[in-house]
Amino acid sequence: MVANEDIKKTVSQEDGDPNSHNPMLYDPLQDGVVKTSKTRQYLAALIICLGAVAAGTALAWTSPVLPKITANVNSTAITNSTIGNSTIGNSTIGNLTITNGTTPTPLPSDDRLQLTVDQTTWVSSLLAIGAFLGALPSGYIADTIGRRYTAMVMDVPFILAWISISFAQSAGWLYVGRFLIGISTGSFCVVAPMYISEIAETSIRGTLGTLFQLLLTIGILLVYVVGSMVTWQTLSMLCLLIPIALFCGLLILPETPVYLLKKGRRSEAALSLKWLWGRYCDSRSAIQVIQNDLDQTVADASVMDLFSNRGSRNGLIISALLMVFQQFSGINAVIFYTESIFQSAGSSLNASLCSIIVGVVQVIMTLTSSLLIEKAGRKILLIFSSTVMTICLAMLGAYFNMSNSGKDVSAIGWLPLLCVVLFIISFSVGYGPIPWLMMGELFLPDVKGIAVSLTVMLNWLCVFVVTKCFSSMNESLGSDVTFWFFGTWMALATIYVAIAVQETKGKSASQIQNWLSGR
């Protein structure tokens, strides 16, 4: 028995903590016994990413719903703006802006909710405003009360929002609901990547990091499919079930080991690791690695620390530029023209089916990205993504230039359709999920909350700018120049990533900081 105690010590007992005798804290150090399990890491990431599913349903909600609740609108006047990330996929995680050219579904005679065009604009745009404001305090809150409790707190607006929307009988209640949904969406864009990056083993950090974008696109697709079959009130009530399931799931999750260790709660950090990595993991070694990273940080970092430290500053620049490139990829413009491109290719598919097809492609390719990310790496997928999107945008611009100038383009009607498919595929495997993944990788725990909040705020600011400017650009410059404008941004993205970004696949936090600091 004495010999057994000699080879089994807990993290806390090593520190002389007399209160720690939980058998779960013992590390079996015999040869062949130490091993990790990834099952609960996937489970924890999937639970926290239910927030991404909830965000995806919120982003896509306007597409099937606005035509049903807009009064006196003809078949050509309904444009559903789903402001999100195809990343957020923005539809981002890009931004999904879906144009629905079909005649709106007749309203039931007892439905008193009929919006003006101006009111529908507010219903669409309030989400982006709420998301911007929701991202602002989330990093600070996550550093104060923890990642898990922040997620639980910020899930409450999701629940209240869907209740407000489901029973809304005036535009005002829709405004309240969409604003609250925006707050939760912006917050989960901050908290979920932080949580995932702090619970994952290095070998699967990339795969888990892409789950946020994957589940967001699943949420978008879910609304496209269900929204085409049920009333908007039923759709809203079904969407309410997702944040409720999220709250229940968060009750069983542990706090991240990084946060607990940062707060000096060493035995709780070890228990968290045991829950996440399995009972037979070597928690002592893992705790020591985390502690070494924390030793490089300042206990209470400020915004000035973020900019004064070279590694943190460079991480912020890279993360911010990746988000800018994501939003200026032109995903809005491409999705906006999805229906017209399908029609130009001779397709008779209606707008709802076009949206579903786009959603299916995004889900499949984002899933593909999650499988490729730890094999191909981040950098090569980003370069591939922006290069293919540059070519597709250039060809789309050329197509619309010929079409607008009166040339016969019937012989190449298949070309824009091919470009759209390749564009969505390349976006979904690169600039859709990877900026969110790398945002969680590039910062040490002391500045992560502030840095991630600023990056997400910039993302939503770009969402707002691109969404608001797209229509005026299209009218004043023409669709051809608009596509070429976004293509130029993607060409710049290719050059920037090739020169300035290094691969982070398989690297520890300290190795990434050595690169960012120039060491």
Side-chain angles (χ1 to χ4, degrees):
M1 186 66 181
V2 175
N4 195 39
E5 289 296 332
D6 289 339
I7 63 173
K8 290 185 178 181
K9 288 185 178 181
T10 73
V11 170
S12 299
Q13 286 171 342
E14 287 183 339
D15 289 345
D17 183 355
N19 298 319
S20 199
H21 296 285
N22 190 322
M24 279 295 295
L25 286 172
Y26 286 91
D27 286 330
L29 302 182
Q30 299 96 327
D31 292 340
V33 174
V34 175
K35 60 182 179 180
T36 60
S37 172
K38 298 176 174 58
T39 303
R40 285 190 175 179
Q41 295 176 61
Y42 279 103
L43 175 63
L46 287 171
I47 289 175
I48 197 78
C49 284
L50 284 176
V53 179
T57 59
L59 296 172
W61 181 85
T62 54
S63 184
V65 170
L66 288 189
K68 300 177 182 179
I69 61 176
T70 305
N72 301 320
V73 182
N74 61 38
S75 61
T76 61
I78 298 175
T79 301
N80 303 325
S81 298
T82 302
I83 304 175
N85 291 309
S86 268
T87 61
I88 247 180
N90 299 334
S91 8
T92 120
I93 146 240
N95 301 313
L96 284 180
T97 304
I98 307 296
T99 300
N100 189 334
T102 59
T103 303
T105 303
L107 290 168
S109 59
D110 61 344
D111 195 333
R112 291 173 289 177
L113 185 59
Q114 297 190 23
L115 306 183
T116 65
V117 173
D118 182 62
Q119 288 173 328
T120 62
T121 301
W122 278 108
V123 169
S124 295
S125 60
L126 277 171
L127 185 145
I129 297 172
F132 180 86
L133 297 177
L136 178 62
S138 295
Y140 174 79
I141 296 173
D143 283 339
T144 303
I145 66 174
R147 285 61 163 137
R148 172 175 171 262
Y149 282 123
T150 301
M152 294 176 72
V153 169
M154 288 303 182
D155 187 41
V156 174
F158 260 140
I159 296 173
L160 296 177
W162 284 121
I163 293 174
S164 174
I165 291 172
S166 298
F167 297 99
Q169 304 224 344
S170 68
W173 285 108
L174 288 182
Y175 295 163
V176 171
R178 293 293 289 175
F179 182 74
L180 289 175
I181 273 183
I183 289 176
S184 290
T185 297
S187 179
F188 270 92
C189 288
V190 174
V191 176
M194 288 177 66
Y195 186 92
I196 292 172
S197 68
E198 293 181 0
I199 67 166
E201 294 179 72
T202 302
S203 61
I204 60 170
R205 191 178 62 215
T207 300
L208 293 185
T210 61
L211 287 179
F212 184 84
Q213 172 65 18
L214 174 62
L215 268 70
L216 187 138
T217 58
I218 289 175
I220 293 171
L221 177 59
L222 182 66
V223 167
Y224 287 162
V225 174
V226 177
S228 65
M229 299 184 292
V230 301
T231 66
W232 70 269
Q233 294 99 332
T234 301
L235 174 64
S236 302
M237 291 297 293
L238 291 174
C239 291
L240 172 61
L241 299 177
I242 297 171
I244 292 175
L246 168 61
F247 191 89
C248 294
L250 289 170
L251 294 175
I252 69 171
L253 291 189
E255 183 54 78
T256 70
V258 174
Y259 172 80
L260 293 171
L261 202 57
K262 181 182 176 183
K263 295 298 183 180
R265 295 150 62 179
R266 193 174 175 91
S267 62
E268 293 179 55
L271 279 173
S272 176
L273 270 173
K274 290 288 189 180
W275 193 96
L276 291 162
W277 291 17
R279 182 172 182 176
Y280 297 103
C281 74
D282 185 356
S283 62
R284 288 189 300 170
S285 297
I287 288 290
Q288 190 57 52
V289 170
I290 298 172
Q291 187 63 61
N292 291 341
D293 292 336
L294 289 173
D295 289 342
Q296 303 177 38
T297 67
V298 181
D300 295 308
S302 65
V303 175
M304 292 306 299
D305 293 320
L306 176 61
F307 290 96
S308 61
N309 180 275
R310 181 181 179 184
S312 299
R313 184 173 63 250
N314 287 339
L316 181 63
I317 292 171
I318 292 171
S319 185
L321 283 176
L322 290 180
M323 289 298 188
V324 170
F325 291 139
Q326 180 195 82
Q327 298 306 321
F328 281 84
S329 66
I331 189 71
N332 259 319
V334 173
I335 302 280
F336 186 90
Y337 276 98
T338 296
E339 183 192 351
S340 63
I341 290 173
F342 270 76
Q343 292 174 348
S344 69
S347 173
S348 59
L349 299 176
N350 62 36
S352 296
L353 190 52
C354 289
S355 300
I356 292 172
I357 291 173
V358 169
V360 170
V361 171
Q362 282 194 310
V363 170
I364 293 174
M365 296 316 302
T366 306
L367 177 60
T368 302
S369 176
S370 69
L371 300 176
L372 289 175
I373 195 76
E374 292 299 352
K375 294 182 174 62
R378 287 73 155 149
K379 182 171 182 174
I380 189 65
L381 287 178
L382 285 173
I383 292 175
F384 167 81
S385 178
S386 56
T387 300
V388 175
M389 285 192 289
T390 301
I391 296 171
C392 291
L393 289 165
M395 296 176 70
L396 282 171
Y399 174 86
F400 279 100
N401 179 267
M402 291 187 292
S403 178
N404 294 339
S405 61
K407 295 181 180 178
D408 183 13
V409 293
S410 58
I412 55 172
W414 52 268
L415 182 62
L417 179 57
L418 176 64
C419 288
V420 167
V421 173
L422 290 177
F423 181 93
I424 294 173
I425 288 174
S426 58
F427 179 87
S428 298
V429 300
Y431 272 90
I434 293 178
W436 298 100
L437 163 63
M438 294 191 66
M439 180 180 69
E441 292 183 321
L442 295 178
F443 305 106
L444 287 174
D446 61 329
V447 297
K448 182 175 287 188
I450 300 173
V452 170
S453 290
L454 291 176
T455 303
V456 172
M457 288 174 65
L458 176 63
N459 179 278
W460 283 102
L461 179 62
C462 291
V463 169
F464 185 80
V465 169
V466 172
T467 303
K468 284 296 182 184
C469 294
F470 172 73
S471 295
S472 58
M473 284 180 60
N474 192 50
E475 291 176 6
S476 59
L477 301 177
S479 54
D480 51 352
V481 177
T482 302
F483 281 120
W484 287 333
F485 170 79
F486 292 124
T488 301
W489 275 96
M490 286 297 91
L492 292 174
T494 302
I495 297 171
Y496 174 77
V497 172
I499 295 175
V501 177
Q502 288 191 17
E503 182 57 63
T504 59
K505 179 186 71 172
K507 291 185 177 180
S508 66
S510 60
Q511 290 174 319
I512 293 173
Q513 290 305 309
N514 285 339
W515 154 52
L516 293 172
S517 301
R519 295 193 294 268

